[in-house]
């Protein structure tokens, strides 16, 4: 339900952020600094790959909807599981409650203290909006502005049940505030003593102000791109993206891989690690490669193939993906025979230092390629598209360098010739598409390959929005939900505990309702 108070009793292991997390139930002892880190900590398992997120939430839902993986067709395979919906919902509202506690603590500071510590509120808001966007893109309308205020309301449950807000209004509020934050960051100077503390508490950018500016503006670009096709946001998206690009000194973007915004793993003895990625992705054959992705990568000689995947144990070195059009028995036999490719264990699932990915340069450049394409600037669109491809390739090879796992032999590094050959392949080459739709298909396919199982929520949103790549699914005729849904439903707790407010969205609460930006 939406009055969750985020009273989570967790014990950080001894580490560089040992004291970063504060239990809001002991709010008297918390500080802006600790509450800021508590926000990041609370949401960590939905950022850094974890067992529960991959095995329970993604394995039978979003990873199927994007065909980032292959699976044996089964009954009810397109309806997201109740446990997945409930846990992700509850985690978000615990996270939101942490943010409300930060607002509460900050509001009690003197004006001078607020000015000094304003950087914490700006950074927390950027991170909060990033993950709010993801939840809105899953459900649509959600309780938001008045949610998470049980502590603020002094434990009054009756006053803490929050009304639902429309997805459009939430996007508007976030974009409005992100614009203000971007403007403020462009002229902000943080006192040295405050910056020293911020560097300690900042688990994402380690106090790097430039990276926070790039995170803010790149998130704006992502959200503006997401809503750019809607009548309500079309003019705004065009104007604001143009403004961002026309003044990169004021509104810098994540332009290079060195700028990628991530929650990094530094100490496997801490609670921020990717140890759960192995069982989360590998258990119950959750890491089987899909035929569409493998065939596309093989046909175009994609240099990422060997970094992202490995051949099946009995495949004789051949990469083969699971065909979703086959019957379940045939699919199961192929899985059991060990002839299907799987995600590269040393690059991904057994890479315990795998970071939590927030924004990458490749996705930024793909968004720019879309913007320039729709603007009719083919030269800039091509340059951004090809830059995104190069960055995506480098990114996957860089991820492997973080790994201490030796299950898969070391990668043969790419060469300039190999990368150029891929970019000039007819299936990839920019000039192979003459129409806007054709160019958007190229961009959409590259986004899909880049996101893979690493950023599945962003991948599903972009597939729903762009309809590229055009994936084909085997209908589940045993269920009312025959194909992948357009959204997730709300958890049963909302009906049970927030029933009065739920009635306002009950008519929309089905798997067929489209998000407001999903207009095609």
């Amino acid at each position: 339900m939406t009055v969750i108070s985020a009273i989570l009793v967790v014990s950080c292991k001894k580490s560089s952020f040992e004291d970063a997390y504060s239990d809001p139930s002991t709010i008297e002892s918390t500080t802006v600094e600790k509450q800021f880190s508590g926000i990041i900590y609370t949401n960590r398992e939905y950022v850094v790959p974890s067992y529960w997120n991959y095995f329970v939430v993604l394995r039978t839902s979003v990873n199927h909807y994007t065909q980032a993986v292959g699976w044996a067709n089964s009954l009810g395979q397109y309806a997201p599981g109740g446990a997945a919906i409930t846990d992700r919902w509850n985690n978000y509202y615990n996270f939101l409650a942490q943010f409300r506690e930060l607002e509460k603590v900050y509001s009690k500071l003197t004006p001078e203290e607020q000015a000094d510590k304003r950087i914490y509120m700006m950074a927390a808001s950027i991170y909060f909006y990033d993950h709010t966007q993801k939840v809105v893109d899953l459900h649509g309308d959600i309780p938001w502005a008045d949610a998470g205020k049980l502590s603020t309301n002094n434990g009054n449950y009756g006053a803490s049940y929050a009304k639902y807000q429309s997805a459009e209004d939430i996007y508007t509020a976030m974009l409005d505030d992100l614009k203000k934050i971007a403007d403020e960051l462009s002229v902000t100077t943080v006192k040295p003593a405050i910056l020293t503390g911020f560097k300690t508490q900042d688990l994402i950018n380690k106090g790097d102000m430039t990276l926070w500016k790039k995170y803010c503006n790149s998130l704006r670009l992502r959200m503006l791109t997401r809503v750019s096709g809607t009548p309500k946001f079309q003019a705004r998206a065009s104007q604001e993206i143009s403004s961002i690009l026309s003044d990169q000194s004021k509104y810098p973007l994540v332009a290079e891989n060195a700028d990628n915004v991530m929650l990094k793993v530094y100490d496997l003895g801490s609670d921020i690690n990717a140890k759960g990625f192995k069982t989360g992705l590998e258990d119950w054959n959750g890491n089987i490669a899909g035929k569409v992705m493998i065939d596309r990568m093989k046909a175009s000689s994609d240099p990422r193939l060997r970094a992202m995947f490995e051949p099946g144990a009995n495949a004789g070195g051949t990469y083969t993906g699971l065909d979703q059009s086959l019957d379940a028995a045939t699919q199961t036999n192929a899985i059991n025979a060990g002839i299907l490719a799987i995600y590269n264990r040393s690059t991904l699932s057994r890479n315990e230092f795998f970071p939590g990915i927030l924004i990458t340069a490749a996705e930024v450049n793909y968004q720019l390629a879309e913007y320039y394409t729709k603007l009719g600037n083919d030269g800039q669109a091509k340059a951004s598209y090809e830059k995104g491809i190069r960055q995506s390739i480098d990114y996957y090879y860089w991820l492997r360098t973080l790994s201490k796992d030796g299950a898969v032999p070391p990668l043969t590094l790419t060469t300039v010739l190999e990368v150029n050959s891929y970019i000039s392949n007819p299936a990839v080459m920019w000039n192979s598409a003459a129409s806007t739709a054709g160019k958007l298909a190229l961009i959409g396919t590259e986004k899909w390959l880049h996101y893979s199982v690493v950023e599945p929520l962003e991948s599903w949103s972009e597939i729903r929005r762009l309809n590229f790549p055009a994936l084909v699914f085997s209908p589940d005729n045993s269920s009312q939900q025959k194909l992948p849904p357009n959204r997730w439903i709300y958890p049963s707790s909302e009906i049970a505990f927030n029933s009065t407010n739920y009635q306002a969205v009950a008519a929309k609460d089905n798997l067929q309702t489209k998000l407001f930006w999903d207009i095609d």
Side-chain angles (χ1 to χ4, degrees), residues 469-480:
L471 302 172
V472 178
F473 295 85
S474 294
D476 177 11
N477 293 317
S478 68
S479 171
Q480 289 185 334

Side-chain angles (χ1 to χ4, degrees), residues 53-71 77-78 277 280-282 285-290 293 324 343 448 451-460 463 471 473 484 488:
N53 187 28
Y54 269 87
F55 186 78
V56 178
V57 179
L58 300 173
R59 179 178 56 88
T60 60
S61 61
V62 180
N63 281 351
H64 286 186
Y65 309 157
T66 64
Q67 288 190 21
V69 300
W71 71 96
Q77 63 183 350
Y78 298 124
F277 202 2
L281 187 63
E282 293 182 25
N285 301 306
N287 63 343
I288 298 294
M293 187 172 285
Q324 290 308 135
Y343 273 93
W448 172 66
Y451 287 138
S452 67
V453 291
V454 178
E455 295 184 82
L457 295 184
E458 292 304 318
S459 186
W460 188 39
I463 288 171
L471 302 172
F473 295 85
W488 279 11

Side-chain angles (χ1 to χ4, degrees), residues 234-346:
Q234 189 173 34
R236 174 176 184 166
S238 178
Q239 186 277 323
E240 287 198 24
I241 294 174
S242 175
S243 176
I244 291 169
L245 294 176
S246 66
D247 194 348
Q248 280 289 278
S249 61
K250 183 177 182 179
Y251 304 124
L253 293 167
V254 174
E256 306 294 339
N257 277 330
D259 301 332
N260 289 346
V261 181
M262 300 171 284
L263 180 54
K264 293 182 179 179
V265 177
Y266 294 99
D267 179 4
L268 295 181
S270 77
D271 287 343
I272 297 181
N273 64 74
K275 291 180 180 179
F277 202 2
K278 176 182 176 181
T279 51
L281 187 63
E282 293 182 25
D283 281 10
W284 289 19
N285 301 306
N287 63 343
I288 298 294
K291 176 178 171 60
V292 178
M293 187 172 285
I294 289 294
D295 284 358
R296 167 60 164 71
M297 297 181 88
K298 287 171 61 178
S300 58
S301 300
D302 193 325
R304 290 167 293 196
L305 179 62
R306 60 184 178 270
M308 292 172 62
F309 295 98
E310 57 179 293
N314 301 319
T318 300
Y319 293 91
T320 302
L322 182 61
D323 188 342
Q324 290 308 135
S325 69
L326 299 175
D327 62 84
T330 303
Q331 291 173 324
T332 300
N333 288 337
I335 292 171
N336 293 337
I339 59 175
L340 298 174
I342 61 175
Y343 273 93
N344 190 303
R345 292 166 295 169
S346 293

Side-chain angles (χ1 to χ4, degrees), residues 126-137:
I126 295 166
Y127 186 73
F128 173 57
Y129 294 152
D130 186 350
H131 296 285
T132 296
Q133 170 236 303
K134 289 175 170 56
V135 172
V136 169
D137 290 350

Side-chain angles (χ1 to χ4, degrees), residues 25-275:
S25 67
T26 58
I27 195 66
E28 295 82 7
S29 65
T30 196
T31 63
V32 164
E33 292 86 350
K34 290 184 178 181
Q35 203 62 38
F36 172 72
S37 292
I39 291 169
I40 300 170
Y41 183 91
T42 299
N43 200 46
R44 70 196 184 283
E45 291 194 347
Y46 283 93
V47 180
V48 177
S50 67
Y51 166 77
W52 190 270
N53 187 28
Y54 269 87
F55 186 78
V56 178
V57 179
L58 300 173
R59 179 178 56 88
T60 60
S61 61
V62 180
N63 281 351
H64 286 186
Y65 309 157
T66 64
Q67 288 190 21
V69 300
W71 71 96
N73 291 316
S74 60
L75 304 181
Q77 63 183 350
Y78 298 124
I85 292 172
T86 298
D87 188 77
R88 205 183 197 297
W89 182 271
N90 288 349
N91 180 270
Y92 172 74
Y93 282 99
N94 279 323
F95 167 69
L96 181 149
Q98 286 277 10
F99 183 76
R100 298 297 180 222
E101 294 296 342
L102 174 61
E103 291 180 318
K104 178 181 176 181
V105 175
Y106 183 78
S107 70
K108 294 181 179 181
L109 300 178
T110 66
E112 293 76 14
E113 290 172 327
Q114 287 183 350
D116 284 347
K117 298 184 179 182
R118 174 62 179 157
I119 182 58
Y120 287 98
M121 286 305 305
M122 290 190 288
S125 296
I126 295 166
Y127 186 73
F128 173 57
Y129 294 152
D130 186 350
H131 296 285
T132 296
Q133 170 236 303
K134 289 175 170 56
V135 172
V136 169
D137 290 350
L138 282 172
H139 295 280
D141 303 350
I142 62 171
W144 194 60
D146 294 324
K149 293 187 175 181
L150 182 61
S151 175
T152 302
N153 294 331
N154 298 314
N156 185 337
Y157 277 85
S160 301
Y161 291 105
K163 294 181 179 180
Y164 282 73
Q165 283 180 263
S166 73
E168 297 99 319
D169 286 349
I170 296 172
Y171 256 83
T172 298
M174 293 193 294
L175 285 169
D176 287 348
D177 202 33
L178 285 169
K179 172 62 167 62
K180 292 177 183 177
I181 292 170
D183 288 335
E184 189 173 349
L185 281 173
S186 71
V187 296
T188 292
T189 300
V190 181
K191 290 181 179 179
I194 298 296
L195 187 58
T196 297
F198 184 55
K199 288 179 179 178
T200 301
Q201 302 299 137
D202 179 7
L203 307 179
I204 298 172
N205 291 322
K206 298 300 179 186
D208 188 322
M209 293 290 291
T210 300
L211 281 181
W212 277 107
K213 294 176 187 178
K214 292 180 178 182
Y215 187 4
C216 179
N217 291 300
S218 298
L219 179 59
R220 292 174 64 203
L221 176 64
R222 174 196 285 170
M223 293 175 62
L224 289 165
T225 302
R226 184 72 40 85
V227 302
S228 62
T230 68
K232 180 176 179 178
F233 288 96
Q234 189 173 34
R236 174 176 184 166
S238 178
Q239 186 277 323
E240 287 198 24
I241 294 174
S242 175
S243 176
I244 291 169
L245 294 176
S246 66
D247 194 348
Q248 280 289 278
S249 61
K250 183 177 182 179
Y251 304 124
L253 293 167
V254 174
E256 306 294 339
N257 277 330
D259 301 332
N260 289 346
V261 181
M262 300 171 284
L263 180 54
K264 293 182 179 179
V265 177
Y266 294 99
D267 179 4
L268 295 181
S270 77
D271 287 343
I272 297 181
N273 64 74
K275 291 180 180 179

